[in-house]
Amino acid sequence: MTTMTADRTAFRALTSVAGARQAAHAFLEALGQPAMDPEHADTVILVVSELVTNALRHGGGTYTLRLTAHPGTTEVAVDDLSPDPPRMRTPDLRDETGGFGWHMVNELALATVVTPRPEGGKTVRALLPR
């Protein structure tokens, strides 16, 4: 089994989500052949964006992103400083305050897992098809 991992840490909210997307693009390109289906690659980028956005908004402002390729799946893991797990909430169509991301991640992923970290905070993982 071939496994590839890329780690990235970002500290500024304005560039962090963009940096996470760039890191995910680079990770996916480095996987080589067979190339990932473009639709699945877009799904990985979308889930990275959502989990990093949630970490920045609700998880203390910093995060660590880990991407791992497994045969047939890609794992997206985001560590943040908050012990509070993501929660489903009713999407806000009127005031545009969000509520769509965690629903979307759970729809796109084969599985999602939230694990408390011994040193504090949590890791949110999404396992995506390739």
Side-chain angles (χ1 to χ4, degrees):
M1 173 171 72
T2 301
T3 301
M4 180 179 179
T5 304
D7 291 329
R8 296 289 184 261
T9 304
F11 299 99
R12 291 186 300 181
L14 284 176
T15 60
S16 296
V17 176
R21 283 194 298 264
Q22 290 172 347
H25 275 291
F27 172 83
L28 295 172
E29 287 176 6
L31 290 178
Q33 296 299 324
M36 182 180 284
D37 176 289
E39 182 178 328
H40 290 123
D42 289 346
T43 298
V44 171
I45 302 301
L46 179 60
V47 169
V48 164
S49 294
E50 290 298 328
L51 293 182
V52 168
T53 297
N54 286 348
L56 291 170
R57 282 191 185 156
H58 310 291
T62 63
Y63 69 90
T64 301
L65 169 65
R66 286 187 313 282
L67 301 164
T68 307
H70 304 284
T73 62
T74 301
E75 180 180 345
V76 177
V78 176
D79 302 335
D80 68 44
L81 301 175
S82 172
D84 300 327
R87 63 181 175 86
M88 294 287 187
R89 60 187 183 113
T90 303
D92 183 354
L93 298 172
R94 181 180 299 174
D95 296 323
E96 300 178 11
T97 60
F100 295 94
W102 189 234
H103 287 281
M104 189 174 7
V105 168
N106 280 279
E107 276 297 312
L108 294 170
L110 298 170
T112 56
V113 177
V114 180
T115 309
R117 297 174 57 219
E119 65 276 12
K122 66 181 170 299
T123 301
V124 179
R125 288 182 178 82
L127 191 62
L128 304 170
R130 278 189 357 133

